[in-house]
Amino acid sequence: MSRSSLVAQADLAVTHNLFQLVTAAAEQYGQSPYLLPAEDGGRVVTFEDVLDFVRGCAAVLDDHDVPPGARVATVLHNSQLAALLFLGVTAAQRVLVPLSPKSGPAELDALLGLSKPLLVIGPSAAVEGIGHEVRRLTVEDPESLVEEILARGAGSTVELAVPDDGGTLDAEIVYTSGSTGTPKGVVLSHRALLANSLAMAKWADAGQDDVFLNVVPVFHAGGQGFPTLTPLWCGGQTVCVRSETALARFWRYVDRHQPTWTLVVNAYLASLAERPERPESAESPGRPSARQLKGVLAGGSALHPDLIHRFEDTFGIPVRQVYGMTEMTSVTTVEDRDGSPDGARTAGPPVPFAKVRVVGPDGEDLPAGADGEILLSGPSMFTRYEGEQELTDARLSDGWVRSGDLGHLDALGRLSIVDRIDSMVIVNGENVYPAEVENLVSRLAGIQDAVVVALPHPVTGVELVLIHTLSPGAAADPDAWRATLMGLLKNAKVPRRFVPLDELGLQDFPRTPLGKIQRAEVRRLAVEHLT
Amino acid sequence: MTAICADILKRDELGAEEDLTMLGMDSVAAVDIVTRVQAAFGVDVVDVIFDTPTVDRLCAAVLAAQAGDPHVAV
């Protein structure tokens, strides 16, 4: 049997449906292991098993009167079953609605009302509180359900009809809360999922010796592409573990499965960096792993360079920043696989097939280094917000997704994120992002930490105030700081006042458990004490 | 067990049957509790802390593991 990779010969015009990818992987990689059990004693799922599982899903969904094109909701934490149902439902040509088991009954009801699935699959704890009128498949024992579906598929030769549509068929609806708090159903096509995961296989130069540790929930696009679909392209292995469990057992899983890649959210990276004592594992006491993590991909929010360096220095594992959004099927830019040639830390250039622009308020492209709104495009673009034509139109602009994020490209085409557009304040008619000023604090001699807040002002409407702590032994020098900032920023962006934190009645900045300064709390105290 | 949980959740007291997530336990605090319990009792309570997060259930898991029953705590 040929063991050459599907990645090299991949053509998205030919492989435009997830069933085709599952079929090709079964032919190419056969009985090689694909999905490993997280703990001892579970089943090793091969590439051929995945095809059986898809056929079994088609049969089980037929039994439940859920025809191709109809919707199926899952309410599952990460597990082998969760990963397989993501593949099984979508490749069986049904539309998946993956929901978070952390949603309360009211939220689940609301999302089921919006997405209108014919069937909900989840453990009794998750589905019994649902008031919405919908059929349920209650999962009592996930492992035996996997066996049952595999057995159904193994006896089946059913050929699933794949439309010749170039991959535009809806594969799933992923709900995101978004900044407004109203849930939005992001519809992703087969093509979007295939393009995104193939792009990541190319980026990683992934092959059969790669192992992916998946700690991102499969009900997010981030847990589906790189950690779950990329190994189908490259013939690699994946382990699908519940995020919270993996946070506590991260190094144990690393020692046990010896992954080469993992993707985490930044808060996760921070939590690992705060526990620098990597436990000696009983599974590989004192001996180095055969395989090393080639990198930890991290994204989801602003990532401070200090945290990246702390993680890399502590564990000797490279961090690669990513940037993306559900509307682009997750990862859209990523740092170079082998590191930055000039040492600069950015969110990297676009992944294969993707395109990035930065534009000003007039929609014109900005030169390198200038901050503007980030626009994204490529075959991984979402199809629509379910049932929300106006929202869809507002998000799209001539074939580009408006990210709502502010950033810039450098001369090498690498993206840096500055802030959310909506955290902008307007001072004297000038758009100002507090983070833009805060990012320059390292140039102000003597300041240890600082937060910039916009306070109400009787004349200018708002006034920028920089609240700071000093490095040990340093003295405040507002005139010098102001002069430095004047040389770097437009006048309106330079804070008018520099206030020591103790004027707010605090010795230290209030921080989240992950060490991030609680800006909202600082702003509240600043309004209380300074206005 | 109560002292560990109360310390990490920054509370003076807490009831043995109170749901720790309702007392502000996020996943990071849960990991802190798991780490402290592992150090104090030598038992991994990861599965318990996310599914049935009460002091009572954590104690039951520790006692069961110490008694050699592998089915309650991993």
Side-chain angles (χ1 to χ4, degrees):
Chain A
M1 182 178 292
S2 164
R3 282 287 182 255
S4 64
S5 168
L6 292 176
V7 178
Q9 64 208 29
D11 180 347
L12 291 172
V14 176
T15 310
H16 56 75
N17 187 287
L18 287 161
F19 183 67
Q20 294 169 322
L21 175 61
V22 169
T23 308
E27 281 169 12
Q28 194 85 6
Y29 307 121
Q31 295 187 26
S32 305
Y34 163 67
L35 180 61
L36 307 175
E39 304 290 343
D40 284 340
R43 176 192 251 276
V44 174
V45 177
T46 69
F47 290 90
E48 286 181 359
D49 290 336
V50 176
L51 181 56
D52 282 346
F53 192 90
V54 171
R55 291 202 172 111
C57 266
V60 168
L61 292 172
D62 282 343
D63 292 350
H64 283 84
D65 294 323
V66 181
R71 294 171 183 175
V72 178
T74 51
V75 191
L76 295 165
H77 285 294
N78 271 13
S79 64
Q80 283 191 313
L81 176 67
L84 285 169
L85 280 175
F86 159 64
L87 297 170
V89 171
T90 55
Q93 313 300 300
R94 275 73 171 180
V95 181
L96 181 71
V97 183
L99 300 175
S100 168
K102 289 186 207 160
S103 317
E107 193 182 341
L108 279 182
D109 276 337
L111 295 176
L112 293 170
L114 289 170
S115 57
K116 303 181 183 66
L118 294 185
L119 183 71
V120 180
I121 305 175
S124 54
V127 300
E128 70 191 3
I130 294 172
H132 187 77
E133 199 60 40
V134 60
R135 294 201 296 277
R136 291 146 213 224
L137 196 167
T138 306
V139 180
E140 302 298 349
D141 176 0
E143 287 168 19
S144 51
L145 182 57
V146 168
E147 294 301 332
E148 196 182 309
I149 297 176
L150 280 169
R152 278 300 292 279
S156 158
T157 52
V158 61
E159 278 305 318
L160 283 149
V162 169
D164 188 18
D165 64 351
T168 55
L169 185 72
D170 295 350
E172 62 171 342
I173 308 176
V174 182
Y175 280 90
T176 67
S177 53
S179 52
T180 57
T182 325
K184 291 179 293 192
V186 181
V187 177
L188 298 176
S189 65
H190 282 252
R191 177 180 165 82
L193 287 162
L194 290 167
N196 171 266
S197 51
L198 176 61
M200 293 311 290
K202 288 176 180 288
W203 172 84
D205 192 21
Q208 283 200 263
D209 49 0
D210 278 303
V211 179
F212 300 75
L213 177 61
N214 184 17
V215 303
V216 179
V218 179
F219 53 79
H220 288 314
Q224 300 169 350
F226 184 60
T228 305
L229 290 171
T230 295
L232 277 181
W233 282 107
C234 74
Q237 299 164 41
T238 183
V239 191
C240 184
V241 288
R242 183 169 165 181
S243 315
E244 299 94 330
T245 309
L247 188 57
R249 291 186 184 149
F250 185 79
W251 297 113
R252 204 176 107 191
Y253 287 139
V254 167
D255 288 334
R256 170 170 301 193
H257 301 292
Q258 301 179 11
T260 53
W261 294 107
T262 189
L263 167 69
V264 301
V265 296
N266 292 334
Y268 210 100
L269 198 74
S271 171
L272 291 173
E274 276 175 15
R275 293 178 287 143
E277 316 78 30
R278 178 173 172 173
E280 176 96 348
S281 168
E283 288 166 52
S284 56
R287 69 182 160 83
S289 298
R291 285 189 299 255
Q292 294 283 337
L293 268 165
K294 297 174 188 172
V296 174
L297 279 58
S301 59
L303 190 54
H304 199 280
D306 288 354
L307 175 61
I308 299 175
H309 292 136
R310 188 146 53 98
F311 186 92
E312 290 182 333
D313 294 346
T314 304
F315 301 115
I317 297 167
V319 174
R320 299 288 174 250
Q321 287 187 78
V322 301
Y323 168 74
M325 57 197 305
T326 304
E327 288 85 343
M328 286 295 294
T329 322
S330 180
V331 181
T332 310
T333 72
V334 56
E335 284 186 278
D336 289 332
R337 183 182 70 238
D338 299 323
S340 162
D342 58 1
R345 297 317 291 253
T346 67
V351 300
F353 317 129
K355 291 176 286 183
V356 176
R357 289 166 66 199
V358 170
V359 300
D362 55 2
E364 294 297 314
D365 286 272
L366 294 173
D371 287 325
E373 184 173 14
I374 299 163
L375 304 187
L376 308 166
S377 187
S380 287
M381 274 175 64
F382 76 125
T383 306
R384 65 179 184 279
Y385 291 121
E386 176 64 11
E388 297 280 4
Q389 191 58 47
E390 273 180 37
L391 268 181
T392 308
D393 294 343
R395 176 65 80 179
L396 293 172
S397 162
D398 287 336
W400 293 79
V401 176
R402 306 179 53 150
S403 69
D405 289 322
L406 181 82
H408 57 262
L409 290 163
D410 67 14
L412 296 176
R414 298 173 300 190
L415 185 67
S416 290
I417 316 301
V418 175
D419 209 343
R420 287 290 301 171
I421 299 271
D422 50 21
S423 66
M424 184 185 81
V425 291
I426 299 175
V427 186
N428 286 342
E430 196 76 48
N431 297 348
V432 183
Y433 303 88
E436 203 179 351
V437 185
E438 290 167 3
N439 289 344
L440 296 171
V441 162
S442 61
R443 312 238 194 138
L444 305 180
I447 292 188
Q448 186 167 50
D449 280 311
V451 166
V452 173
V453 296
L455 297 180
H457 188 275
V459 178
T460 56
V462 288
E463 170 186 57
L464 290 183
V465 178
L466 184 144
I467 297 159
H468 60 81
T469 55
L470 294 173
S471 305
D477 193 352
D479 290 341
W481 296 337
R482 190 172 296 112
T484 303
L485 291 176
M486 289 289 199
L488 298 167
L489 294 169
K490 284 184 186 167
N491 197 339
K493 299 182 178 182
V494 177
R496 286 293 169 270
R497 295 159 71 189
F498 296 85
V499 176
L501 182 63
D502 55 21
E503 284 191 24
L504 273 52
L506 294 174
Q507 292 309 306
D508 298 302
F509 278 114
R511 290 177 191 270
T512 68
L514 296 177
K516 280 174 65 176
I517 294 176
Q518 293 178 306
R519 303 176 82 257
E521 176 64 6
V522 174
R523 184 176 188 283
R524 188 186 69 75
L525 289 168
V527 169
E528 189 180 310
H529 285 83
L530 304 178
T531 59
Chain B
M1 188 69 75
T2 306
I4 290 173
C5 295
D7 183 39
I8 285 166
L9 300 178
K10 296 187 169 56
R11 294 191 165 254
D12 294 333
E13 54 187 29
L14 87 210
E17 292 180 6
E18 280 190 275
D19 184 333
L20 300 177
T21 51
M22 303 303 281
L23 303 177
M25 182 186 75
D26 56 14
S27 58
V28 173
V31 169
D32 288 342
I33 292 173
V34 168
T35 308
R36 292 267 296 272
V37 170
Q38 175 92 46
F41 306 108
V43 177
D44 179 346
V45 292
V46 168
D47 294 325
V48 181
I49 198 121
F50 294 116
D51 287 330
T52 51
T54 67
V55 166
D56 263 358
R57 295 304 301 258
L58 290 170
C59 288
V62 167
L63 291 172
Q66 288 173 341
D69 180 349
H71 295 295
V72 180
V74 174

mmCIF file of all heavy atoms in Angstrom, chain A residues 39 242 244-245 247-249 252 271 275 513-514, chain B residues 26-28 31 34-35 44 46-47 50-51 74:
data_model
loop_
_atom_site.group_PDB
_atom_site.id
_atom_site.type_symbol
_atom_site.label_atom_id
_atom_site.label_comp_id
_atom_site.label_asym_id
_atom_site.label_seq_id
_atom_site.Cartn_x
_atom_site.Cartn_y
_atom_site.Cartn_z
ATOM 1 N N GLU A 39 -6.480 7.828 27.807
ATOM 2 C CA GLU A 39 -5.980 7.037 28.939
ATOM 3 C C GLU A 39 -5.775 5.591 28.479
ATOM 4 O O GLU A 39 -6.189 5.202 27.390
ATOM 5 C CB GLU A 39 -6.992 7.075 30.091
ATOM 6 C CG GLU A 39 -7.356 8.482 30.558
ATOM 7 C CD GLU A 39 -6.220 9.194 31.289
ATOM 8 O OE1 GLU A 39 -5.261 8.517 31.716
ATOM 9 O OE2 GLU A 39 -6.288 10.427 31.434
ATOM 10 N N ARG A 242 -10.517 16.407 27.034
ATOM 11 C CA ARG A 242 -11.271 17.527 27.588
ATOM 12 C C ARG A 242 -10.298 18.601 28.078
ATOM 13 O O ARG A 242 -9.322 18.306 28.771
ATOM 14 C CB ARG A 242 -12.138 16.993 28.732
ATOM 15 C CG ARG A 242 -13.019 18.035 29.344
ATOM 16 C CD ARG A 242 -14.012 17.371 30.268
ATOM 17 N NE ARG A 242 -14.624 18.385 31.114
ATOM 18 C CZ ARG A 242 -15.525 18.115 32.052
ATOM 19 N NH1 ARG A 242 -15.893 16.866 32.261
ATOM 20 N NH2 ARG A 242 -16.037 19.084 32.779
ATOM 21 N N GLU A 244 -10.280 21.027 30.331
ATOM 22 C CA GLU A 244 -9.987 21.238 31.743
ATOM 23 C C GLU A 244 -9.112 20.101 32.287
ATOM 24 O O GLU A 244 -8.180 20.337 33.059
ATOM 25 C CB GLU A 244 -11.277 21.293 32.569
ATOM 26 C CG GLU A 244 -12.215 22.420 32.176
ATOM 27 C CD GLU A 244 -13.256 21.968 31.163
ATOM 28 O OE1 GLU A 244 -12.952 21.054 30.367
ATOM 29 O OE2 GLU A 244 -14.361 22.525 31.163
ATOM 30 N N THR A 245 -9.420 18.902 31.868
ATOM 31 C CA THR A 245 -8.638 17.751 32.317
ATOM 32 C C THR A 245 -7.200 17.872 31.826
ATOM 33 O O THR A 245 -6.245 17.627 32.559
ATOM 34 C CB THR A 245 -9.260 16.454 31.772
ATOM 35 O OG1 THR A 245 -10.638 16.461 32.081
ATOM 36 C CG2 THR A 245 -8.605 15.237 32.369
ATOM 37 N N LEU A 247 -5.638 20.512 31.139
ATOM 38 C CA LEU A 247 -4.896 21.590 31.797
ATOM 39 C C LEU A 247 -4.200 21.041 33.045
ATOM 40 O O LEU A 247 -3.059 21.364 33.330
ATOM 41 C CB LEU A 247 -5.864 22.723 32.171
ATOM 42 C CG LEU A 247 -5.272 24.023 32.703
ATOM 43 C CD1 LEU A 247 -4.293 24.611 31.703
ATOM 44 C CD2 LEU A 247 -6.373 25.021 33.003
ATOM 45 N N ALA A 248 -4.899 20.167 33.767
ATOM 46 C CA ALA A 248 -4.313 19.578 34.974
ATOM 47 C C ALA A 248 -3.292 18.490 34.622
ATOM 48 O O ALA A 248 -2.329 18.285 35.346
ATOM 49 C CB ALA A 248 -5.415 19.003 35.853
ATOM 50 N N ARG A 249 -3.522 17.789 33.499
ATOM 51 C CA ARG A 249 -2.670 16.632 33.189
ATOM 52 C C ARG A 249 -1.791 16.871 31.974
ATOM 53 O O ARG A 249 -1.356 15.919 31.325
ATOM 54 C CB ARG A 249 -3.550 15.414 32.892
ATOM 55 C CG ARG A 249 -4.276 14.876 34.097
ATOM 56 C CD ARG A 249 -4.995 13.590 33.753
ATOM 57 N NE ARG A 249 -5.776 13.136 34.894
ATOM 58 C CZ ARG A 249 -6.908 12.464 34.781
ATOM 59 N NH1 ARG A 249 -7.376 12.143 33.586
ATOM 60 N NH2 ARG A 249 -7.555 12.085 35.860
ATOM 61 N N ARG A 252 1.520 15.082 31.712
ATOM 62 C CA ARG A 252 1.319 13.631 31.697
ATOM 63 C C ARG A 252 0.916 13.187 30.291
ATOM 64 O O ARG A 252 1.404 12.180 29.785
ATOM 65 C CB ARG A 252 0.229 13.261 32.711
ATOM 66 C CG ARG A 252 0.334 11.843 33.178
ATOM 67 C CD ARG A 252 -0.706 11.572 34.234
ATOM 68 N NE ARG A 252 -1.753 10.735 33.684
ATOM 69 C CZ ARG A 252 -2.902 10.498 34.309
ATOM 70 N NH1 ARG A 252 -3.150 11.055 35.466
ATOM 71 N NH2 ARG A 252 -3.789 9.719 33.758
ATOM 72 N N SER A 271 -1.338 29.655 32.188
ATOM 73 C CA SER A 271 -1.493 28.768 33.323
ATOM 74 C C SER A 271 -0.340 27.763 33.393
ATOM 75 O O SER A 271 0.183 27.470 34.473
ATOM 76 C CB SER A 271 -2.835 28.047 33.219
ATOM 77 O OG SER A 271 -2.923 27.045 34.196
ATOM 78 N N ARG A 275 3.111 27.290 36.298
ATOM 79 C CA ARG A 275 3.476 26.069 37.034
ATOM 80 C C ARG A 275 4.736 25.506 36.397
ATOM 81 O O ARG A 275 4.694 24.519 35.669
ATOM 82 C CB ARG A 275 2.327 25.054 36.965
ATOM 83 C CG ARG A 275 1.076 25.506 37.714
ATOM 84 C CD ARG A 275 -0.044 24.499 37.587
ATOM 85 N NE ARG A 275 -0.612 24.515 36.251
ATOM 86 C CZ ARG A 275 -1.036 23.440 35.595
ATOM 87 N NH1 ARG A 275 -0.930 22.251 36.149
ATOM 88 N NH2 ARG A 275 -1.547 23.540 34.393
ATOM 89 N N PRO A 513 -6.713 35.708 37.606
ATOM 90 C CA PRO A 513 -5.899 34.556 38.032
ATOM 91 C C PRO A 513 -4.773 34.267 37.049
ATOM 92 O O PRO A 513 -3.783 33.628 37.385
ATOM 93 C CB PRO A 513 -6.909 33.409 38.059
ATOM 94 C CG PRO A 513 -8.232 34.057 38.238
ATOM 95 C CD PRO A 513 -8.145 35.380 37.549
ATOM 96 N N LEU A 514 -4.901 34.745 35.803
ATOM 97 C CA LEU A 514 -3.866 34.490 34.809
ATOM 98 C C LEU A 514 -2.839 35.613 34.752
ATOM 99 O O LEU A 514 -1.979 35.632 33.886
ATOM 100 C CB LEU A 514 -4.492 34.300 33.430
ATOM 101 C CG LEU A 514 -5.389 33.070 33.332
ATOM 102 C CD1 LEU A 514 -6.025 32.998 31.966
ATOM 103 C CD2 LEU A 514 -4.600 31.813 33.609
ATOM 104 N N ASP B 26 -13.007 28.626 38.784
ATOM 105 C CA ASP B 26 -12.841 28.489 37.339
ATOM 106 C C ASP B 26 -11.853 27.347 37.087
ATOM 107 O O ASP B 26 -11.400 26.683 38.024
ATOM 108 C CB ASP B 26 -12.364 29.809 36.717
ATOM 109 C CG ASP B 26 -11.071 30.314 37.348
ATOM 110 O OD1 ASP B 26 -10.407 29.534 38.067
ATOM 111 O OD2 ASP B 26 -10.725 31.479 37.125
ATOM 112 N N SER B 27 -11.532 27.106 35.814
ATOM 113 C CA SER B 27 -10.707 25.929 35.532
ATOM 114 C C SER B 27 -9.292 26.083 36.088
ATOM 115 O O SER B 27 -8.660 25.105 36.460
ATOM 116 C CB SER B 27 -10.690 25.622 34.036
ATOM 117 O OG SER B 27 -10.209 26.719 33.314
ATOM 118 N N VAL B 28 -8.828 27.332 36.175
ATOM 119 C CA VAL B 28 -7.485 27.538 36.729
ATOM 120 C C VAL B 28 -7.478 27.230 38.228
ATOM 121 O O VAL B 28 -6.582 26.543 38.728
ATOM 122 C CB VAL B 28 -7.009 28.981 36.459
ATOM 123 C CG1 VAL B 28 -5.707 29.246 37.177
ATOM 124 C CG2 VAL B 28 -6.849 29.192 34.959
ATOM 125 N N VAL B 31 -7.536 23.539 38.750
ATOM 126 C CA VAL B 31 -6.219 22.920 38.585
ATOM 127 C C VAL B 31 -5.366 23.146 39.835
ATOM 128 O O VAL B 31 -4.648 22.247 40.289
ATOM 129 C CB VAL B 31 -5.517 23.467 37.324
ATOM 130 C CG1 VAL B 31 -4.058 23.032 37.288
ATOM 131 C CG2 VAL B 31 -6.249 22.992 36.078
ATOM 132 N N VAL B 34 -6.573 20.643 42.349
ATOM 133 C CA VAL B 34 -6.090 19.307 41.996
ATOM 134 C C VAL B 34 -4.617 19.145 42.390
ATOM 135 O O VAL B 34 -4.214 18.125 42.958
ATOM 136 C CB VAL B 34 -6.274 19.049 40.477
ATOM 137 C CG1 VAL B 34 -5.518 17.793 40.047
ATOM 138 C CG2 VAL B 34 -7.747 18.917 40.140
ATOM 139 N N THR B 35 -3.834 20.184 42.117
ATOM 140 C CA THR B 35 -2.402 20.124 42.426
ATOM 141 C C THR B 35 -2.168 20.016 43.933
ATOM 142 O O THR B 35 -1.356 19.218 44.393
ATOM 143 C CB THR B 35 -1.706 21.392 41.871
ATOM 144 O OG1 THR B 35 -2.056 21.520 40.496
ATOM 145 C CG2 THR B 35 -0.202 21.292 41.995
ATOM 146 N N ASP B 44 -5.145 11.805 42.391
ATOM 147 C CA ASP B 44 -5.518 12.679 41.272
ATOM 148 C C ASP B 44 -7.047 12.780 41.209
ATOM 149 O O ASP B 44 -7.724 11.779 40.972
ATOM 150 C CB ASP B 44 -4.966 12.068 39.979
ATOM 151 C CG ASP B 44 -5.317 12.889 38.736
ATOM 152 O OD1 ASP B 44 -6.194 13.768 38.816
ATOM 153 O OD2 ASP B 44 -4.704 12.635 37.687
ATOM 154 N N VAL B 46 -8.849 14.889 39.242
ATOM 155 C CA VAL B 46 -9.237 15.684 38.067
ATOM 156 C C VAL B 46 -10.668 15.397 37.625
ATOM 157 O O VAL B 46 -11.459 16.317 37.387
ATOM 158 C CB VAL B 46 -8.276 15.417 36.892
ATOM 159 C CG1 VAL B 46 -8.855 16.002 35.604
ATOM 160 C CG2 VAL B 46 -6.929 16.031 37.163
ATOM 161 N N ASP B 47 -11.019 14.130 37.487
ATOM 162 C CA ASP B 47 -12.337 13.811 36.944
ATOM 163 C C ASP B 47 -13.454 14.262 37.882
ATOM 164 O O ASP B 47 -14.523 14.666 37.448
ATOM 165 C CB ASP B 47 -12.447 12.313 36.655
ATOM 166 C CG ASP B 47 -11.502 11.906 35.534
ATOM 167 O OD1 ASP B 47 -11.319 12.726 34.618
ATOM 168 O OD2 ASP B 47 -10.933 10.808 35.589
ATOM 169 N N PHE B 50 -14.238 18.345 37.963
ATOM 170 C CA PHE B 50 -14.989 18.974 36.885
ATOM 171 C C PHE B 50 -16.411 18.432 36.776
ATOM 172 O O PHE B 50 -17.276 19.088 36.219
ATOM 173 C CB PHE B 50 -14.249 18.832 35.559
ATOM 174 C CG PHE B 50 -12.961 19.601 35.533
ATOM 175 C CD1 PHE B 50 -11.748 18.952 35.410
ATOM 176 C CD2 PHE B 50 -12.972 20.986 35.674
ATOM 177 C CE1 PHE B 50 -10.554 19.673 35.415
ATOM 178 C CE2 PHE B 50 -11.794 21.711 35.688
ATOM 179 C CZ PHE B 50 -10.578 21.050 35.557
ATOM 180 N N ASP B 51 -16.655 17.234 37.284
ATOM 181 C CA ASP B 51 -17.993 16.664 37.124
ATOM 182 C C ASP B 51 -18.862 16.840 38.368
ATOM 183 O O ASP B 51 -20.040 17.155 38.260
ATOM 184 C CB ASP B 51 -17.889 15.176 36.756
ATOM 185 C CG ASP B 51 -17.408 14.999 35.323
ATOM 186 O OD1 ASP B 51 -17.702 15.892 34.498
ATOM 187 O OD2 ASP B 51 -16.738 14.002 35.027
ATOM 188 N N VAL B 74 -9.323 8.275 39.317
ATOM 189 C CA VAL B 74 -8.336 7.730 38.380
ATOM 190 C C VAL B 74 -6.948 7.846 38.997
ATOM 191 O O VAL B 74 -6.602 8.884 39.522
ATOM 192 C CB VAL B 74 -8.393 8.485 37.044
ATOM 193 C CG1 VAL B 74 -7.264 8.006 36.141
ATOM 194 C CG2 VAL B 74 -9.730 8.269 36.387
#
